[in-house]
Amino acid sequence: SSKDSSGLNSLSGLSNQILITKVIDGYISGANVFIDLNWNLTQDLNEPSAYEDTENQLYYFEESQFSGIENWTILQCSQRRPRVAEIPVGAIDADRGAVESAYEMFYFPYFNQGNSGEQDEYRANVTPLTSLFLSYVTNTIGNQVIEDVDGCNQISNDIGSKVIDRVATVLQNLEYRFDIDPLLFYSDFIESDNQE
């Protein structure tokens, strides 16, 4: 935890680092992380890749990377979009070593998401658990074709609201039926040493 604290302190002076993201299976280094602004679950030309901070085991974006997107904002747009981690062969899983088969993981925003941290970093953890929601939200996403430059338009924002509602419903059902804390799905289970 002392390493994490020092990492957060070093980041606090760098306010241009936004949308801080961890990729966790073990902690993954070497992933391509992007925010899918137009809901097609693929990376388009104007959807930037995150920078990786290997020392603190996280990925981050900078505001200037979104200059090609019309009407871009953090709050109404990027915060309410999926984050996709493409893990290639050769990426490093801190627990299991080199990745031998490429795979993807997904993070979908949820009802309790908000700004976190002093710099409004809008943190997220992309994990196998957050990836479970893919099957629940694909129908909600629908087949609307949105150009990447228009990924912050009203149609895309409306899809974001529907997805958040859908994920919230699934989480509430899990809590009611199985007494599972919904926030556990979005936590850093390695940092909290949650073996279960």
Side-chain angles (χ1 to χ4, degrees), residues 2 11 37 44 63 71 85 181:
S2 61
L11 285 173
L37 298 169
D44 296 301
E63 287 191 33
N71 302 312
D181 179 357

Side-chain angles (χ1 to χ4, degrees), residues 1-77:
S1 62
S2 61
K3 179 182 175 188
D4 291 341
S5 297
S6 64
L8 290 176
N9 289 337
S10 68
L11 285 173
S12 65
L14 302 172
S15 61
N16 61 330
Q17 295 184 350
I18 58 171
L19 301 159
I20 306 290
T21 306
K22 285 189 176 182
V23 181
I24 308 170
D25 203 346
Y27 291 125
I28 302 289
S29 177
N32 176 47
V33 177
F34 67 94
I35 297 175
D36 180 32
L37 298 169
N38 62 349
W39 298 99
N40 62 2
L41 300 179
T42 59
Q43 186 174 22
D44 296 301
L45 180 63
N46 290 292
E47 293 173 335
S49 293
Y51 299 105
E52 182 176 2
D53 176 347
T54 55
E55 182 180 343
N56 293 294
Q57 298 179 309
L58 53 82
Y59 298 80
Y60 66 91
F61 296 85
E62 294 179 352
E63 287 191 33
S64 61
Q65 292 179 270
F66 298 93
S67 61
I69 307 297
E70 296 288 328
N71 302 312
W72 177 83
T73 65
I74 294 178
L75 185 60
Q76 291 302 318
C77 189

Side-chain angles (χ1 to χ4, degrees), residues 70-139:
E70 296 288 328
N71 302 312
W72 177 83
T73 65
I74 294 178
L75 185 60
Q76 291 302 318
C77 189
S78 289
Q79 180 202 12
R80 303 169 71 85
R81 298 295 187 275
R83 297 188 204 187
V84 180
E86 298 173 329
I87 296 94
V89 171
I92 301 299
D93 180 318
D95 290 341
R96 292 188 294 263
V99 172
E100 297 180 0
S101 296
Y103 63 102
E104 291 180 322
M105 292 192 295
F106 302 88
Y107 164 93
F108 294 97
Y110 66 104
F111 67 100
N112 198 31
Q113 184 181 11
N115 55 331
S116 57
E118 293 179 1
Q119 299 297 324
D120 295 339
E121 295 148 347
Y122 298 94
R123 291 179 175 262
N125 297 315
V126 182
T127 74
L129 293 175
T130 59
S131 300
L132 293 173
F133 297 109
L134 178 62
S135 62
Y136 291 101
V137 301
T138 49
N139 289 338

Side-chain angles (χ1 to χ4, degrees), residues 158-176:
D158 289 345
I159 294 171
S161 295
K162 290 177 185 176
V163 166
I164 288 171
D165 289 345
R166 180 64 178 138
V167 171
T169 298
V170 172
L171 287 169
Q172 289 164 353
N173 287 339
L174 287 169
E175 183 176 27
Y176 176 74

